[in-house]
């Protein structure tokens, strides 16, 4: 083969580069791997500082693609040291003759896409120009040490050591006065060992980190045994897990257990000495501030119990950001080190470094001399090593320019404008939020299979479409927005590097979900990509995931339960089933008062529940109609949603138990709805409510009842309404809309269940009556201002959209929220689905606006 023209150039000979080289060779692709260092190993080649170890257990932090490795390599410890992991990488490289495919001491400086030849030209520090069809950045997420942004760094005359570029011969600090700047993972691992040698150690800390004890020793018995017993299942579980380690996710909310029990559970997790154990104690640590605080305070209590000086303990205690939103660390005697008389902690917030000097450091009101300075200041993570190479795509745009406001990728693997460029563990993939061995292998497999598919299909180029890339950005944001990560200044968010855009760089939707998405993209013929070759172009445009990630999780969970379809039940059974489901959901926020009563309906008394806010009244009042397809539900069945609206909008809610079908068919519900509205208007003052400010609201069939009540109020002399809030309403039973087909199955409310509801409620002839299908009213003008919320994955989406549009055309003031990625039911799931918070907030805001 020509060395200057190959199928694939790979940059980097860490674990990613090694495995990719192996796979390329196995499948007949010519390649060159270019590596700055003079050996393999990447992270484990460069990070030779004392105490450097992996913090994912070696049962999990190892290759799985060569099964023989498991028998021929025995890890000596649970968390292997850097020299041992480096030896492992060298062993793999030697065993598979990978050294012969790697050019060492060769830095890639630039890469330019040539649109005519459909190839990349890669330039190296040795002045070589290599052309290749495909160009893969296996440059690592944590391979570009961050330049310390401290004044005077170049003044210091003594030895300076950077943890990410540690001298190969090691450093002896015996008898020295040493400064360590930085208390991230590298600092926390190295400080106890530097303290063992140094005569005096001063640790400069900007932000304390959460650290859990590594409790190193032999590999965990239970895990090792499982691995030995059934390796295939173990590895499959890891690949489909949240973080790339087969941990069973907790189903316990932190506040659902008594404080003593919670503490016992956290203590057990603490004693496991595993990075992911503590955060996995409760299901809601990553999404709920109150749940997270339980774990955060537990760690702080541990720090207080270890560190003798209370002031130092407090300084070491992380506050102001949630546990896990900065990478938690694993340590061996880190907190204990601060009990040693020669170790001192300096808080950079109260004593900032004024300057590094020729002989030491000026900080606060002190000047101190040091024999060595150690910078443990972290990395320009995720994108640093990628944009350090001058990568010019189509039209001469560089990747650095394109990513100025944050990295844009499709799947974290590819980027629009950069054909045939792949990134391993790039931004927008699980990467640093995972066991990276699992993520590296998954990316290498995906790239390999893509190259094979291209070769088989006669394609020369592959590039994602702008729609797919934007869809992926939105999905990443959807995933991030339901977590606590975005409010923390972390390197995950680019906050440690001045000028870096603030976005969550890794994908936080989980390793398993991500793998399924990538597999789906492949199975659907590279959905979201354009492939071109001599035989033509195949553009398979589309967005792979639009559903909200938490909504998807609920659907997946429900699918595993194998529940019978409601439409196979009798109405009585369906009601019992619905009540049983409601009994186990979170109750919703507290309100000032809840009072039950009865009011006169169209044909007899109806129960109602009044929700009153805690503030002083008289409050405006919303007459609310529950969901349940006119067949089931009651005045209390939408309790969490009613409480939420009451508390958030500061309005009173009267939820009405209108008559149900099939016992009372059309128009019973509609007539009851209007009767209840009139009664509330007439009795508002005696209920302590404001009779001049009344609105209607409802969800699903209740949205139908609310819309009809608003029309009846307009047509029958009142009451005058301030507004109508319709959440995924039924508005048209007369015909099929496209969404009935698009979302027929799989989103809880199915097409057949909707038909079952209609059949119970109204004869086909009655369904064109505007009292059943408010969309069909001949005149929609003069209705009160409306907010209509429709959900993307709802069979009723199009009829809700149509009603909003029709009212707007008739001159009604309409706010129409199309809830992206939601289903018919998901917005009502208060305290269960964080993605439902923004639409409910918008609904509460609409109610406030209705009432001025
Ligand atoms: C101290 C430390 C501890 C870690 N512990 C864990 C852990 O416990 N679990 C875990 O999952 N992950 C851990 N990681 C993350 C770790 O980076 C990955 O697990 C993994 O080793 C990354 O492999 P890689 O091949 O993708 O990248 P790297 O190992 O970073 O290799 C990238 C290589 O690319 C080379 N390179 C970069 N740019 C160029 C260029 N322009 N030209 C030529 N060569 C270039 C670099 O020299 C480097 O050798 C840790 C990282 C650090 C820093």
């Amino acid at each position: 083969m020509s060395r200057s023209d190959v199928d694939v150039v790979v940059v980097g000979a860490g674990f990613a580069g090694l495995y990719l080289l192996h796979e390329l060779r196995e499948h007949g692709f010519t390649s060159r791997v270019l590596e700055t260092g003079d050996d393999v190993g990447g992270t484990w080649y460069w990070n030779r500082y004392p105490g450097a170890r992996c913090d994912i257990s070696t049962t999990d932090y190892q290759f799985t693609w060569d099964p023989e490795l498991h028998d021929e390599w025995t890890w000596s410890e649970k968390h292997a040291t850097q020299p041992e992991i480096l030896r492992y990488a060298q062993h793999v490289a030697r065993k598979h003759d990978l050294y012969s495919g790697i050019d060492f001491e060769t830095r890639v400086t630039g890469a330019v896409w040539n649109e005519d030849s459909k190839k990349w030209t890669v330039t190296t520090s040795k002045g070589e120009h290599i052309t290749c069809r495909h160009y893969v950045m296996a440059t690592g997420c944590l391979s570009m040490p961050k330049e310390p942004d401290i004044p005077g760094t170049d003044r210091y005359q003594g030895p300076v050591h950077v943890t990410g570029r540690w001298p190969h011969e090691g450093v002896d600090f015996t008898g020295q006065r040493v400064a360590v700047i930085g208390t991230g993972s590298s600092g926390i691992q190295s400080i106890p060992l530097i303290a063992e040698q140094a005569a005096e150690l001063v640790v400069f800390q900007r932000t304390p980190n959460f650290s859990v004890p590594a409790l190193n020793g032999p590999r965990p018995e239970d895990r090792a045994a499982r691995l030995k017993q059934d390796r295939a299942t173990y590895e499959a579980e890891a690949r489909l897990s949240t973080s790339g380690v087969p941990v069973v996710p907790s189903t316990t909310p932190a506040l659902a257990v008594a404080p003593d029990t919670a503490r016992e559970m956290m203590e057990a997790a603490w004693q496991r000495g595993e990075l992911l154990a503590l955060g996995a104690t409760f299901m809601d640590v990553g999404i709920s501030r109150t749940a997270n605080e339980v774990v955060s305070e537990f760690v702080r209590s541990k720090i207080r119990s270890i560190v003798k000086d209370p002031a130092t303990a407090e300084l070491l205690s992380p506050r102001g950001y949630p546990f896990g939103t900065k990478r938690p660390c694993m340590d061996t005697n880190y907190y204990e080190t601060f009990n040693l008389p020669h170790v001192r902690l300096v808080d950079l917030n109260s004593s900032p470094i004024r300057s590094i000097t020729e002989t030491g450091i000026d900080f606060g009101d002190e000047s101190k001399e040091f024999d060595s300075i150690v910078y443990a200041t972290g990395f320009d993570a995720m994108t640093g090593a990628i944009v350090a190479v001058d990568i010019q795509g189509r039209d001469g745009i560089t990747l650095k320019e394109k990513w100025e406001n944050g990295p844009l990728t499709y799947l974290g693997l590819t980027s629009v404008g950069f054909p045939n460029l792949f990134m391993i563990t790039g931004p927008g993939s699980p990467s640093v939020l995972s066991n990276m061995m699992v993520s590296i292998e998954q990316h290498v497999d995906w790239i390999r299979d893509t190259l094979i598919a291209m070769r088989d299909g006669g394609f020369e180029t592959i590039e994602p479409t702008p729609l797919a890339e934007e869809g992926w950005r939105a999905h990443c944001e959807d995933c991030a927005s339901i977590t606590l990560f975005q409010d923390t200044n972390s390197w995950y968010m680019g906050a440690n590097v001045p000028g870096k855009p603030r976005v969550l760089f890794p994908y936080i939707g989980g390793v398993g979900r991500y793998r399924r998405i990538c597999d789906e993209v492949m199975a659907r013929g590279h959905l979201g990509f354009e492939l071109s070759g001599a035989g033509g172009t195949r553009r398979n445009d589309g967005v792979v995931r639009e559903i909200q990630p938490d909504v998807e999780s609920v659907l997946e969970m429900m699918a595993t339960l194998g529940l019978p379809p409601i439409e196979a039940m009798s109405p009585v059974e369906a009601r019992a089933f619905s009540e049983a489901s409601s009994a186990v959901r979170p109750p919703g926020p507290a309100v000032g008062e809840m009072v039950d009563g009865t009011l006169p309906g169209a044909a007899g008394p109806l129960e109602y529940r009044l929700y009153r806010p805690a503030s002083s009244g008289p409050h405006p009042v919303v007459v609310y109609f529950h969901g349940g397809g006119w067949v089931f539900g009651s005045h209390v069945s939408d309790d969490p949603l009613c409480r939420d609206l009451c508390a958030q909008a500061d309005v009173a809610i009267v939820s009405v138990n209108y008559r149900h079908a099939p016992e009372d068919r059309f128009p019973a519900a509609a007539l009851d709805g209007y009767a209840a509205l009139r009664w509330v208007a007439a009795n508002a003052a005696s209920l302590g409510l404001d009779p001049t400010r009344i609105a209607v609201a409802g969800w699903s069939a209740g949205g139908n009842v609310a819309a009809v009540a608003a029309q009846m109020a307009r047509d029958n002399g009142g009451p005058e309404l301030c507004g109508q809030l319709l959440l995924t309403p039924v508005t048209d039973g007369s015909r099929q809309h496209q969404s009935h087909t698009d979302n027929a199955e799989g989103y809880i409310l199915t097409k057949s269940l909707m038909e079952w509801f209609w059949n119970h409620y109204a004869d086909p002839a009655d369904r064109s009556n505007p009292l059943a299908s408010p969309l069909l009213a001949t005149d929609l003008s003069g209705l009160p201002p409306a907010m209509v919320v429709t959900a993307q994955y709802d069979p009723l989406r199009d009829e809700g959209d149509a009603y909003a549009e029709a009212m707007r055309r008739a001159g009604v003031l309409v706010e129409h929220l199309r809830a992206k990625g939601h289903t018919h039911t998901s917005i009502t799931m208060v305290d269960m689905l964080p993605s439902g918070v923004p639409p409910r907030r918008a609904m509460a805001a609409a109610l406030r606006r209705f009432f001025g």
Side-chain angles (χ1 to χ4, degrees), residues 11-12 14-16 35-36 42-43 46 49 54-56 61 108 139-140 436:
V11 192
F15 284 125
E35 166 59 53
T36 306
T43 289
W46 295 108
Y49 60 84
C54 60
D55 45 24
I56 296 283
Y61 192 69
V108 171
T139 42
M436 289 192 66

Side-chain angles (χ1 to χ4, degrees), residues 54-65 69-70 73-81 84-85 88 216-239 243-247 272-276 435-438 441:
C54 60
D55 45 24
I56 296 283
S57 160
T58 45
T59 40
D60 305 288
Y61 192 69
Q62 57 180 338
F63 277 139
T64 65
W65 55 270
L69 281 173
H70 301 306
W73 188 270
T74 306
W75 293 103
S76 60
E77 290 176 278
K78 181 167 74 165
H79 301 112
T81 60
E84 189 172 7
I85 305 173
Y88 176 77
N216 212 7
R219 306 212 293 172
E221 277 302 315
D222 51 348
R223 242 183 241 290
R226 275 182 63 207
L227 190 57
K228 210 174 166 62
Q229 223 169 35
D230 184 357
R231 177 171 299 283
T233 305
Y234 185 95
E235 290 173 354
E237 279 176 21
R239 290 179 189 131
S243 307
V245 178
V247 175
R272 281 192 72 83
E274 287 179 16
L275 185 69
L276 305 173
N435 169 7
M436 289 192 66
M437 284 301 212
V438 170
E441 288 191 346

Side-chain angles (χ1 to χ4, degrees), residues 394 397 399 402-403 406-419 421 423 427-428 462-477 521 527-530 539-546 820:
R394 229 181 329 94
I397 307 276
L399 199 54
K402 180 180 170 184
W403 285 4
L408 288 173
T409 69
Y410 182 37
L411 305 173
L413 276 159
T414 58
S415 192
V416 173
F418 298 83
L421 166 72
M423 290 159 282
I462 180 166
E463 187 183 342
T465 68
L467 178 73
E469 185 169 272
E470 168 51 25
W472 187 247
R473 188 204 58 72
H475 175 64
C476 289
E477 200 174 284
V521 165
L527 176 66
F529 285 102
E530 182 174 298
R539 191 180 176 87
N540 185 4
D541 212 355
V543 174
V544 64
R545 240 347 147 268
E546 291 186 285
K820 176 181 159 286

Side-chain angles (χ1 to χ4, degrees), residues 582 585-589 611 636-645 828-831 840:
S582 297
R585 67 193 166 172
Y611 302 82
V636 298
S637 62
D638 291 359
D639 226 38
L641 179 64
C642 290
R643 289 183 194 221
D644 196 66
L645 290 174
T828 68
M829 297 170 90
V830 176
D831 291 338
R840 284 198 307 274

Side-chain angles (χ1 to χ4, degrees), residues 702-756:
N704 172 280
V705 175
V708 169
Q711 291 189 10
M712 292 177 80
R714 177 198 61 180
D715 298 340
N716 296 288
E720 194 162 327
L721 298 178
C722 298
Q724 45 177 333
L725 170 63
L726 310 178
L727 172 58
T728 58
V730 186
T731 71
D732 183 11
S734 69
R735 65 198 161 102
Q736 291 297 309
H737 292 255
Q738 184 58 40
S739 56
H740 295 145
T741 309
D742 292 349
N743 302 318
E745 292 283 340
Y747 303 110
I748 298 181
L749 178 64
T750 60
K751 182 181 174 189
S752 52
L753 177 56
M754 199 57 225
E755 278 164 11
W756 185 83

Side-chain angles (χ1 to χ4, degrees), residues 662-682:
E663 294 84 351
D664 294 290
R665 288 168 64 84
F666 174 82
L671 299 181
D672 277 353
Y674 182 50
L677 173 61
R678 286 173 57 128
W679 182 85
V680 172

